[in-house]
Amino acid sequence: MQEIGQQLSELVLGSVPTMIFFILTVVLYGLLVRRPLDKILAERRARTSGAVEQARSAIAAAEAETQVYEDKLRAARADVLGAREHLLKQWQADRDKALQQVRDEAQEKVRAARKQIEDSTVMARQQIESATDMLSEQILKAVLPSGVSVQEASQ
């Protein structure tokens, strides 16, 4: 047993420098690698989250600006439609005015033509009436015997 104890103590004594070297390696790793690495990672995280926040705020600003542009575009479209509607109403009013003027002129021509027809009718009746007396006289002369006068036959 003593021999096992001696082997064990030699083994432990032989492993002490390895354990010290391992502990020293862990401490040096923590001081030289881990701390600077954590610091760099924290800085990177801060920059990344800052950049993300900055991007989010830029996106929000762009969306707000887009909304303003869309509002302006809607207003401009409404103005254009209003102006178009105003022009259409004006053109329609001008067209209606021109149509009314043409109708009035046509009605005036119809009135003038009716007046002319009525005047012609009155003149034609007068001519017919005056011609009727002459024709009746001529017919009576032609129908009556040659010795009878038209005045004797009318009595």
Side-chain angles (χ1 to χ4, degrees), residues 61-116:
E63 286 176 354
E65 197 169 327
T66 300
Q67 187 64 36
V68 168
Y69 287 138
E70 286 176 357
D71 292 342
K72 287 181 181 179
L73 183 61
R74 271 190 226 104
R77 283 182 181 161
D79 289 344
V80 167
L81 289 176
R84 180 179 177 227
E85 188 173 321
H86 176 72
L87 280 175
L88 287 175
K89 285 182 181 179
Q90 185 178 1
W91 289 341
Q92 191 173 25
D94 291 346
R95 185 196 65 186
D96 290 344
K97 184 179 176 184
L99 283 174
Q100 188 60 42
Q101 185 178 6
V102 169
R103 283 185 190 129
D104 292 343
E105 289 174 3
Q107 286 179 352
E108 187 60 37
K109 287 180 182 179
V110 167
R111 282 189 207 111
R114 283 185 181 165
K115 175 90 168 106
Q116 187 178 8

Side-chain angles (χ1 to χ4, degrees), residues 2-60:
Q2 210 177 38
E3 201 176 290
I4 293 179
Q6 192 177 16
Q7 284 178 350
L8 189 61
S9 70
E10 282 179 17
L11 186 65
V12 169
L13 285 177
S15 64
V16 168
T18 304
M19 287 195 305
I20 291 174
F21 180 71
F22 178 74
I23 291 172
L24 185 63
T25 304
V26 169
V27 170
L28 287 176
Y29 171 77
L31 290 174
L32 296 176
V33 176
R34 181 69 184 208
R35 282 186 188 168
L37 184 62
D38 286 343
K39 184 179 176 183
I40 289 173
L41 288 176
E43 186 178 315
R44 178 193 259 178
R45 218 176 274 120
R47 285 183 183 174
T48 303
S49 63
V52 168
E53 288 301 318
Q54 189 178 20
R56 285 183 183 153
S57 66
I59 288 171

